[in-house]
Amino acid sequence: MTLIRLARCSTCNAYKAKSTALPKMLTSFDGEAEAPVAFNLTVINIVTDSIVRQSKLYLIAEVISYLTFTQLTPFINDSNWSLASIMTAADFPLGNSRIVPGRYPPQGTDPYADAIRERRGARGITPLDANLLHVPPIAGGFNTLLGAVRNKGNLPGDVREAIILRVAAINHAAFEWIHHEIVGRNEGLTSGQLYVIRDIQTPLPAMQHVLTPLQAVAVLFTDHSTRDIRVPMEVVEQFKKELRSLTEDPNKIDDLYVEAAMVAASYNMVSRFLLSTDVAGISDKEVPWPVDRKEHRIALPSFPPDSTSSHVIHATTIISSPDAPWLVFSNSLLTDLSMWNYIVPHFLSNYNILLHSQRGHGQSTLPEHSSQRPVTIPLLATDIANLLEALSIPTPVHAVIGVSQGGATALAFGAMYASKTKSIVVCDTAAKTPQGNKEAWEERIRLVQEDGMRKLADITVPRWFPPGSICNPTHNSAVGQKRADWVGKMIQNTDIAGFSAGARALSDYDLIGEDVNILRSEIGHVLLVAGELDGGGKVGKGLQVLAIRWNAERGSATAVVYEEIIGAGHLPMIDSAEAFCEVVGTWIRSI
């Protein structure tokens, strides 16, 4: 299987004009058919029609073939197109099941197979059908059932495909996802919405305004139905409430709910059969993401000017388009790169994204066998600069965004590497260690060494999310509690040595001193952000003072801006993700 994503870089009309070129250069094999068949132009045009409704446009073509980059280059290099990503046959080698051989009865020899061909149209018998045809009556019943579920119900197509794709993601059914991502896009699902559906690690619900309310509850319903089998009554009631946006007739609402339950149930059946019979030989492949998302483990030097690699940084790149500007995110102490998961889908339509876990956090390591301090705030900034170079990310990036320890890192990056970014967004931090904090950090290190990370998590989560935050227990928010528990697990999973090194970096740094001074930086644009509730308001007040002092130093340069996120604690991108995206998104678009 070669899955091709081409990112559009000219007018909408270029899609329709160029769509006819694809069948001329690409052929596909229909299952195990002996002869190549023409590429399905109908699929191309359907995808095109859905894509022109989105702000960032993509063409996805599935090709059952072993195409090389060289073969694609003449088309990709056309001035109307640019290459977004290619997953080659090495990634998804569509082949034969390693468990049972597929059966492809010749036309006219099996009425069940002929009925399947009629429903499938130009695609003919798929590898899934071929495995089912070991028992033709079951294959026929399956064909009838799935044909009805797909084509004869009344659920909106985007909701139906969101359910199917969530099942595929949870059950690790790559074959199911690959075939239905195309259908989902045709039904109007955007890359950001597909990203939420694919992300099975971050607690639901997603940030508001990425999914529609009906999509959101449909995905939540599917999660319960697939993972837990039993769906909580409150989720059922919420689903029926959102279905009222389609009809006020209570009987039709019940009908739609039953249809949704059958979609989830039937495609759970499909995914289990796909995996248990190894359809197309890809049952052990990871479900692809709807954008070009890659994980990296980059060995970096620790102590400039020494260039010897001494530690590894775990990073993820998410590329929406080759020409999109880049955002770089830097996590807080006691978290990892996943802390940004709620807001990533919001920024996908306009930006490429670099996430990374700072030294000693997540899957990133600390320098070994060194007599020097393994973590300082300037060293964390240098890690970002080295990552940009190692990953060949063009600079200046659009923004470096960090919170807490990551916010201090963003400040240091702005001071040390101003030419490598157009802007910095600095959240819930300070330009230097506040007076008296060194002793507090040493006390936390002692606590962890004696009682472990769970004890620190129990203390830290309510401090990060004080009363007034949806993530505080006093708020009685099921959504907030899920997010608080998620953050608590991140804290518990943090390596003790990584925490201790980071804590000591925060206990003794100064970014307005002699060695590194952000006030003297030529950075073009600066946004300072604080959760209203962080530190009882002290963190925000400190950043406001910094903004005033900094603007006095900047003279005629663009003013440093301060924004406060109402009702947010120390991590506003988690407890107030919608407000955070509104503030930060609006600001970075203005640059």
Side-chain angles (χ1 to χ4, degrees):
M1 171 70 71
T2 301
L3 181 62
I4 305 163
R5 290 190 174 90
L6 297 175
R8 172 182 177 273
C9 59
S10 62
T11 64
C12 292
N13 290 335
Y15 269 111
K16 294 185 177 179
K18 292 295 178 183
S19 65
T20 56
L22 274 175
K24 296 177 183 177
M25 65 169 298
L26 304 180
T27 59
S28 67
F29 288 89
D30 180 9
E32 295 179 358
E34 295 179 358
V37 296
F39 192 84
N40 188 352
L41 179 59
T42 303
V43 172
I44 296 292
N45 285 334
I46 286 175
V47 175
T48 301
D49 291 343
S50 73
I51 284 167
V52 297
R53 295 197 295 267
Q54 301 178 32
S55 58
K56 283 292 180 185
L57 309 180
Y58 296 91
L59 175 61
I60 295 183
E62 284 185 76
V63 186
I64 307 172
S65 182
Y66 292 89
L67 297 174
T68 66
F69 181 83
T70 302
Q71 287 174 288
L72 292 170
T73 298
F75 183 73
I76 294 169
N77 285 348
D78 186 285
S79 60
N80 289 315
W81 300 86
S82 61
L83 177 65
S85 67
I86 295 181
M87 284 185 288
T88 67
D91 300 306
F92 284 92
L94 189 70
N96 299 328
S97 168
R98 294 161 291 185
I99 297 174
V100 295
R103 293 186 177 172
Y104 295 82
Q107 185 82 34
T109 64
D110 185 317
Y112 296 109
D114 290 345
I116 291 170
R117 287 189 178 96
E118 182 178 354
R119 182 171 82 86
R120 297 290 194 193
R123 294 177 63 196
I125 293 176
T126 68
L128 168 58
D129 302 321
N131 280 19
L132 284 162
L133 279 165
H134 278 268
V135 189
I138 291 179
F142 182 98
N143 178 53
T144 301
L145 171 63
L146 271 293
V149 170
R150 278 283 306 277
N151 303 315
K152 296 184 180 180
N154 293 304
L155 269 180
D158 62 318
V159 175
R160 181 193 68 236
E161 294 304 315
I163 292 172
I164 294 170
L165 287 163
R166 186 66 175 185
V167 168
I170 293 170
N171 290 342
H172 309 288
F175 187 95
E176 193 167 52
W177 179 280
I178 290 168
H179 286 79
H180 281 272
E181 181 186 332
I182 292 175
V183 183
R185 288 184 184 275
N186 180 49
E187 296 291 351
L189 293 176
T190 66
S191 292
Q193 290 170 339
L194 288 164
Y195 194 94
V196 168
I197 294 166
R198 170 60 182 82
D199 178 8
I200 58 174
Q201 302 302 324
T202 308
L204 293 172
M207 189 182 77
Q208 294 177 16
H209 313 310
V210 176
L211 299 177
T212 68
L214 181 54
Q215 290 169 349
V217 71
V219 171
L220 182 62
F221 165 87
T222 305
D223 234 49
H224 284 290
S225 181
T226 303
R227 296 181 194 264
D228 309 323
I229 313 303
R230 189 184 302 277
V231 180
M233 189 55 66
E234 59 267 26
V235 175
V236 174
E237 293 170 352
Q238 185 184 354
F239 200 172
K240 287 190 172 185
K241 177 182 176 182
E242 293 301 336
L243 287 169
R244 292 194 190 103
S245 64
L246 304 177
T247 178
E248 290 294 331
D249 185 334
N251 291 322
K252 290 183 178 179
I253 290 172
D254 287 343
D255 294 347
L256 290 168
Y257 176 81
V258 168
E259 182 183 343
M262 195 60 213
V263 172
S266 59
Y267 277 90
N268 266 289
M269 174 187 70
V270 173
S271 64
R272 284 164 170 77
F273 183 80
L274 288 168
L275 297 179
S276 63
T277 66
D278 190 35
V279 169
I282 60 171
S283 60
D284 55 357
K285 295 295 182 180
E286 181 186 11
V287 173
W289 290 82
V291 290
D292 184 6
R293 183 184 188 275
K294 291 186 174 69
E295 290 196 50
H296 312 268
R297 285 167 179 80
I298 309 295
L300 297 178
S302 290
F303 308 106
D306 186 357
S307 60
T308 304
S309 296
S310 63
H311 68 296
V312 173
I313 295 295
H314 176 221
T316 298
T317 52
I318 306 170
I319 300 176
S320 61
S321 169
D323 302 320
W326 282 84
L327 303 180
V328 179
F329 290 88
S330 186
N331 61 292
S332 74
L333 187 73
L334 293 169
T335 66
D336 56 44
L337 56 77
S338 68
M339 67 158 291
W340 304 101
N341 283 2
Y342 282 107
I343 68 169
V344 163
H346 175 84
F347 292 103
L348 277 181
S349 61
N350 296 302
Y351 303 98
N352 296 329
I353 292 171
L354 170 61
L355 309 171
H356 75 289
S357 295
Q358 297 198 91
R359 299 183 185 195
H361 286 68
Q363 298 177 43
S364 296
T365 65
L366 290 172
E368 297 181 356
H369 312 302
S370 173
S371 59
Q372 300 185 57
R373 178 184 286 185
V375 178
T376 67
I377 301 303
L379 287 176
L380 297 177
T382 298
D383 279 348
I384 294 178
N386 287 336
L387 275 177
L388 295 174
E389 182 177 356
L391 294 168
S392 300
I393 293 174
T395 56
V397 297
H398 198 69
V400 174
I401 303 170
V403 62
S404 189
Q405 178 176 276
T409 302
L411 279 172
F413 191 87
M416 300 166 63
Y417 302 101
S419 64
K420 293 183 180 294
T421 183
K422 293 180 180 178
S423 66
I424 55 174
V425 179
V426 178
C427 309
D428 296 270
T429 193
K432 62 182 295 184
T433 303
Q435 188 173 4
N437 267 30
K438 186 168 185 175
E439 293 74 16
W441 283 118
E442 288 299 331
E443 178 58 34
R444 289 169 196 158
I445 292 170
R446 284 193 295 272
L447 173 70
V448 164
Q449 291 171 341
E450 293 174 3
D451 298 324
M453 297 302 293
R454 175 182 283 275
K455 182 67 173 179
L456 183 62
D458 291 342
I459 294 171
T460 301
V461 171
R463 182 168 57 83
W464 281 359
F465 304 118
S469 164
I470 67 163
C471 293
N472 188 276
T474 60
H475 200 278
N476 293 319
S477 166
V479 172
Q481 191 58 54
K482 283 183 181 180
R483 296 187 184 186
D485 292 345
W486 179 64
V487 171
K489 289 178 181 177
M490 268 192 273
I491 295 173
Q492 291 178 44
N493 290 334
T494 300
D495 178 69
I496 291 178
F499 161 70
S500 300
R504 290 195 169 105
L506 286 171
S507 74
D508 183 20
Y509 75 97
D510 187 353
L511 303 177
I512 50 177
E514 290 301 318
D515 295 333
V516 178
N517 193 320
I518 186 62
L519 303 181
R520 295 196 294 261
S521 170
E522 296 181 359
I523 186 73
H525 304 271
V526 180
L527 174 64
L528 306 179
V529 179
E532 172 198 21
L533 308 173
D534 194 8
K538 293 179 181 178
V539 173
K541 289 178 181 177
L543 287 176
Q544 290 181 67
V545 170
L546 175 62
I548 293 169
R549 179 177 175 184
W550 200 344
N551 281 325
E553 298 269 352
R554 283 172 72 82
S556 61
T558 304
V560 173
V561 176
Y562 171 78
E563 294 281 359
E564 196 160 274
I565 309 297
I566 303 302
H570 188 59
L571 302 179
M573 61 293 303
I574 293 176
D575 65 349
S576 297
E578 294 81 5
F580 180 85
C581 286
E582 177 63 27
V583 168
V584 175
T586 299
W587 185 82
I588 61 176
R589 284 194 301 271
S590 71
I591 298 172

